[in-house]
Amino acid sequence: EECTALVDADAVKQILLNLLGNAAKYAASDGPVDVEVRREGADILIAVADRGPGIPADAMEHVFERFWRADSALSAEKGGLGLGLAISHALAADMDGTLSVASHGGSGCVFTLSLPAA
């Protein structure tokens, strides 16, 4: 099925670079990063999944905050400023979309960009 959305191409590119970069950075032992694109009702969904350490349940509400880091020791080792997800979240909202996360501690994260279909 064709998935078409009228979006800011640069914004989508930035979001995907952030999500793919994070997934590659935190994937367990350079494990795979899965990307899925599908249409669900009136939305186009792009899901990026890794098999890294995941995010603890009590930290999920902070994921899209600027400068927030789930694990400061791991973050220091992997680098970054804690801005990519906050920027991506704002860019998605600017296109009438959403950016969400699901995590099962110890088995990775799935970040899903949802955009209105054309």
Side-chain angles (χ1 to χ4, degrees):
E1 179 179 354
E2 185 173 311
C3 296
T4 304
L6 297 176
V7 296
D8 178 334
D10 289 332
V12 172
K13 178 180 176 182
Q14 184 62 56
I15 293 168
L16 292 177
L17 286 172
N18 286 338
L19 296 180
L20 291 168
N22 281 352
K25 188 186 303 186
Y26 294 105
S29 301
D30 296 324
V33 172
D34 299 319
V35 178
E36 177 186 18
V37 179
R38 69 183 186 280
R39 184 175 184 135
E40 192 171 285
D43 295 318
I44 304 299
L45 305 180
I46 304 170
V48 177
D50 68 58
R51 292 176 180 81
I55 300 169
D58 62 341
M60 293 293 285
E61 67 185 82
H62 302 288
V63 169
F64 298 111
E65 293 176 9
R66 294 181 331 164
F67 304 113
W68 183 84
R69 310 296 292 274
D71 178 337
S72 56
L74 184 59
S75 296
E77 173 189 331
K78 301 288 186 177
L81 298 173
L83 290 172
L85 291 176
I87 291 168
S88 295
H89 191 261
L91 289 172
D94 287 347
M95 294 183 288
D96 296 324
T98 60
L99 183 59
S100 60
V101 61
S103 179
H104 310 301
S107 63
C109 292
V110 179
F111 284 87
T112 303
L113 173 61
S114 176
L115 296 166

